[in-house]
Amino acid sequence: MTVSHPAARRTPRAALAELLAGNRRFVSGRPVHGHDVTAAAAVASGDQQPYAVLLGCVDSRVPLEAIFDQTFGSICVIRTGAHVLDRAVRGSVEYVVDQLGVPLVMVLGHERCGAVASAVDTLRSGRRPGGALAYVVDQIAPAVTEVGADDPAVHPMAVRRHVRRTVAALRADELLAGPVTAGRVDVIGALYDLTTGEVVLLDR
């Protein structure tokens, strides 16, 4: 199986197709890259020519390069608790899109997210965590509130709502809004299933 070179893909649609093809290889157990992390593979990657930037969670069960079967130099990865945005994350996405010409930004949430669970627990108990974790919880809390903290399905619904809120924030970003409107860049949301390994797009 061959994988096209990242430099040849400069449309959001083509970039998304490449990502999802990689996820299908991962789910089927037939990856091309096999999560090769050798130094030789890094050297062979050559110049950086990524075709997508992925904003995902720090969860150790969601290694983004592996679940999309990508090799060195193909995607840029940013990971924070429940893909929470801050100025550094926004600036990083802006840099990749503006300076490296990346046409696709994917926000990837996942089932059974611990950070979302912390936000749910905080809103239900009224006990706010200390330290910088409070900031992370505060950023997720609006999604939980919109769903309803006492809703029996609040966790999976808040995960999805939080992805959609993050996508909306990035699409409205000062430096991304223009390219998004022009169709040169797309920002999409997706969900990773920890049980099956499958990535499913939201709202498409």
Side-chain angles (χ1 to χ4, degrees):
M1 182 183 297
T2 60
V3 178
S4 56
H5 194 276
R9 302 182 299 273
R10 288 302 179 201
T11 68
R13 183 186 297 271
L16 179 58
E18 179 65 31
L19 270 184
L20 296 181
N23 181 241
R24 287 193 295 271
R25 295 193 300 270
F26 170 76
V27 172
S28 70
R30 295 189 297 272
V32 171
H33 302 294
H35 208 196
D36 183 358
V37 293
T38 63
V43 172
S45 65
D47 294 335
Q48 179 177 207
Q49 294 180 314
Y51 67 90
V53 54
L54 273 62
L55 173 56
C57 183
V58 295
D59 194 297
S60 61
R61 299 166 295 179
V62 193
L64 300 184
E65 291 88 348
I67 67 176
F68 287 103
D69 188 31
Q70 299 299 305
T71 190
F72 289 91
S74 59
I75 60 174
C76 293
V77 170
I78 304 169
R79 297 175 68 175
T80 64
H83 54 80
V84 161
L85 287 175
D86 61 18
R87 291 189 67 189
V89 172
R90 284 178 179 269
S92 298
V93 174
E94 291 171 354
Y95 169 79
V96 171
V97 170
D98 182 60
Q99 298 297 314
L100 301 182
V102 167
L104 181 69
V105 181
M106 176 182 281
V107 178
L108 184 68
H110 68 93
E111 304 287 4
R112 307 197 298 276
C113 178
V116 172
S118 293
V120 172
D121 291 343
T122 294
L123 290 178
R124 284 179 171 175
S125 68
R127 294 189 299 272
R128 193 163 177 266
L133 176 57
Y135 171 81
V136 174
V137 166
D138 288 346
Q139 302 308 301
I140 303 168
V144 178
T145 300
E146 289 175 7
V147 172
D150 294 325
D151 190 305
V154 61
H155 188 279
M157 292 174 65
V159 167
R160 289 159 177 76
R161 187 65 60 89
H162 182 52
V163 169
R164 293 183 175 106
R165 288 178 58 88
T166 306
V167 168
L170 285 172
R171 292 180 69 89
D173 180 88
E174 180 181 3
L175 296 186
L176 300 181
V180 168
T181 300
R184 296 193 303 272
V185 174
D186 199 4
V187 183
I188 63 173
L191 193 71
Y192 177 67
D193 190 319
L194 292 170
T195 302
T196 66
E198 184 179 7
V199 172
V200 178
L201 300 181
L202 298 180
D203 304 325
R204 295 179 76 90

